[in-house]
Amino acid sequence: MSVRGRRFIEFWQENGTRAAARLIREKLGDAIAGRAVFSKEDDESNAESVPQLRARRFISQQALDVYTIPRPSVPRISLVTDSIGSESLFGGVGTALLFSAQLANQMNATLRVVTRTEVPSPANAWQILNAYGIQLQQEIQFAFAPLKRDEIDTPPVAEAVPGLDIHPEEIFVTTSWWTTAATLPSVPAASIIYLLQEDERMFYPFGEDRVHCERVLRNQDIRFVVNTRLLYDHLMATGLTHLGRNGFWFEPAFPKSLFHPRPREANGKKRFFFYARPNNPRNLFQIGLGIIDHAVNEGILDLEQWEIFLVGKDIPHVKFGAGYTPHRCEGLGWEAYADLAGTIDLGLSLMYTPHPSYPPFDLAASGAVVVTNRFTNKQDLSGYSPNIICAELETRALLDALRSGVAIANDRETRHRNFATNGLGTDWTLAFADVLRALTAGR
Amino acid sequence: MFSLDVPAVPYADPWLLPVSARLAMLHQRRGAKRVAYFYEEPNNSTFRYRAYNMAQVLNESGVENVSASYFFLSDSERFDEIADAADVLVICRSRYCHRINGLITRFRSRRKQVLFDVDDLVFDTDYAHLVMATLGLDLTQAGVWDDWFAMIARMGQTLRLCDGAITTNDFLAQKLADYAGLPVAVVPNFMNREQLALAEKVYAAKERMRFTGDGKVCLGYFSGSPSHRLDYAIVEPALIEVMAERPDVEVMVVGYIDHGPAMKKFAHRISRQPFHDYVNLQRLLGTVEFNLMPLQSNAFTDCKSELKYFEAASVGTLSIASPGFTYRHAIRDGENGYLAKAHEWTEVILKAVDRSSANYGTMAALARQDALAKFGWQHQAEAILTALQIA
């Protein structure tokens, strides 16, 4: 089937027969009127302007289409993110929602969730806020500001979307360099708070994406809220010194109501967790698989005593050692993920960036031991939990760390003592308190 | 769903009277203050609430020193006569034109009071874009922009010619005051005699059956017009989740709302009803357990009146509403209805459905009592007279 045919079927499935019929009618109308029905990219007469070409290459930076309304009596915080779909909610997006909700409460403001790639799901927002016991003081609003990808994604109905109403003094919380880039042309830079949860420059090879990312990160007028002191220090040390003036940091929290050890079967096998995201290069999926395979072959992970869980997304079928097939866990909801984390004894979670990432914290907060890698100033995470072991990104070092991890996991007393001295925060309200105070001071 | 033994009533618009009869209404009480309401042409919505119902109260609620009537653009040949007869003119939500200017000028030249009554945020063009976006209009059509900006600007111009304004809630009152700098009074929308007569029968029938339905729980969405498409979109994902979880839940949609494709699998549990006249609509409202009132949250929807709440409450039907300005003041969550923020609809509907077998009758009685006390025509005379400055 042609690409166009496949896209049409996807459009039909997503939007229903009525919308598909309308699209066909419009195309027929175009054909009858002698207008171009489909764009012909290889046709010189349809050559694109430079701005058009650029817009198509950098779709995610497409500026928010906005219009101004008079200032309402209640202020508003708009959270701009790609999606709050179930698969996007872990980690960063969840944190952004919690941060924005608490900022909204601090300012007695309405919270608006603006998504760009997927229609926002109110139920998902509720799931997160409910899981963390956050009650919004004012109403929550949802808005879809879709990216216009091409003709099939942009039937006239989507063009008729009125844009995003904004008002003077509205605060925008952006969640990535590209949502920040998309927001910057549409609102005053000073109204943007960029929730920065990774050194996003590291997502790219040296090229145009990285340049655009760096430009946003070097913006002197927006405010930055950085997830962890470690990442903040790294960003400052790598040229983003303006964060000393307009940047703040917080440490994430892991509420005991969600993250805690779960009751286990008395004589069941021990459980090993691997954070498995093959399509996120920074999670070093293949390296991790290799380490586990070594550990199984060397008997560090004795499969008579251990069962292995791969937790993540798009996980391929894989076997370890002499043919052991691990459990594959994808698309877990928050509660199910926390329930699983609460049963884990040892984890391996790699992150080839300065941020510790969430899975090591989730596991340590749930009573597990976890091995992760060192990177720049990320050398020792024992301040967060003595049950987090940091190792150089070398096979032998990681295997040694796993061996130590197995020993602690099997040593009930040490493991529990370590767990008891965790330095991880447990309350999101406390986690954001200083940052929120600083952001709202003088308002 | 409630199977009611209340038959539909024959209906004809009661306001369709010749101008002579409406002028006679104005003169019916000798020596009384006379109030002329004006609306461009009669209809079932704003005209009914803001002119017909007001006149009904002034003429029938025992106030002896006032009489009232209503007039339209089609009565323009009688404008001098109206201006001579009436002491106060209330222009309800009308677009500026030479005839309306002429009518206002006649009253003012006679040193008589002219007030502007409006029930929506449709007089300030600063809000035009928001209004159009909220209504889900096709903004690719230049004519849509022309129509709405013209309409709103013309309303604003009429308002500026008046001495004061009357509106439906405090939020809208503030917007009016900000825009026109005029004194503003609030008279809520309320139910008239015809509506309440049928509501009483419907409620009595439900009391007789002890609020026991047919074993299914019916959620009603009474849309009014296609312009509520975006409001309905707030609640549709929750309806899908609730119907998937609860096989005993059904949905009734009244008006022109199109369901999304995900609702198709529940088609056998969804019923559709056409528009009803406002009296028999009370009967239909009485058949559902819950009346869903999702609203986008913004300045335009904060100006809406309580009418969907009190019409349902009067027939013993509980409402679940977005907590916009009006509904959060009308509904005490869990007492006389439920409030659901945009992300809470599934949870709140399930909670309401689960509690319905235990306390539906008690809540329904509270809701009706509240609706009659605040939004029954018998209790509005004082507010109207105060707003007209003839108390």
Side-chain angles (χ1 to χ4, degrees), chain A residues 67 70 122 126 136 139-141 162, chain B residues 129 133 139 297 341-343 347:
Chain A
Y67 68 96
W126 181 84
L136 285 167
E139 168 68 309
I140 187 168
Q141 303 174 354
Chain B
H129 195 154
L139 303 185
S297 164
K341 290 186 177 134
H343 61 307
E347 177 206 14

Side-chain angles (χ1 to χ4, degrees), chain A residues 98-168:
Chain A
L98 296 174
F99 171 75
S100 306
Q102 302 223 25
L103 180 59
N105 279 350
Q106 178 96 3
M107 295 174 63
N108 195 24
T110 302
L111 171 64
R112 176 169 62 173
V113 178
V114 180
T115 60
R116 304 224 68 192
T117 61
E118 202 175 348
V119 175
S121 156
N124 285 350
W126 181 84
Q127 192 190 3
I128 301 270
L129 297 176
N130 189 48
Y132 290 98
I134 292 179
Q135 299 275 334
L136 285 167
Q137 288 164 16
Q138 299 288 340
E139 168 68 309
I140 187 168
Q141 303 174 354
F142 295 91
F144 185 39
L147 298 167
K148 291 169 188 159
R149 290 176 192 280
D150 56 26
E151 61 188 346
I152 202 99
D153 285 341
T154 318
V157 170
E159 281 171 10
V161 169
L164 205 59
D165 59 288
I166 64 168
H167 60 74

Side-chain angles (χ1 to χ4, degrees), chain B residues 170-183:
Chain B
D170 289 336
F171 188 91
L172 188 50
Q174 188 60 51
K175 295 285 179 223
L176 275 162
D178 291 347
Y179 175 78
L182 295 173

Side-chain angles (χ1 to χ4, degrees), chain B residues 79 91 100 125 148 175 213 216 231 237 268 281 284 353:
Chain B
F79 278 0
I91 303 269
I100 287 175
T125 51
W148 282 80
K175 295 285 179 223
K216 306 276 187 185
D231 293 329
H268 60 291
L281 183 68
L284 194 62
V353 168

Side-chain angles (χ1 to χ4, degrees), chain B residues 236-263:
Chain B
E236 193 181 71
L239 291 180
I240 291 164
E241 284 186 58
V242 170
M243 291 178 93
E245 200 167 310
R246 301 296 166 87
D248 60 336
V249 170
E250 295 179 338
V251 169
M252 178 194 288
V253 176
V254 183
Y256 296 118
I257 291 296
D258 279 336
H259 300 296
M263 286 289 272

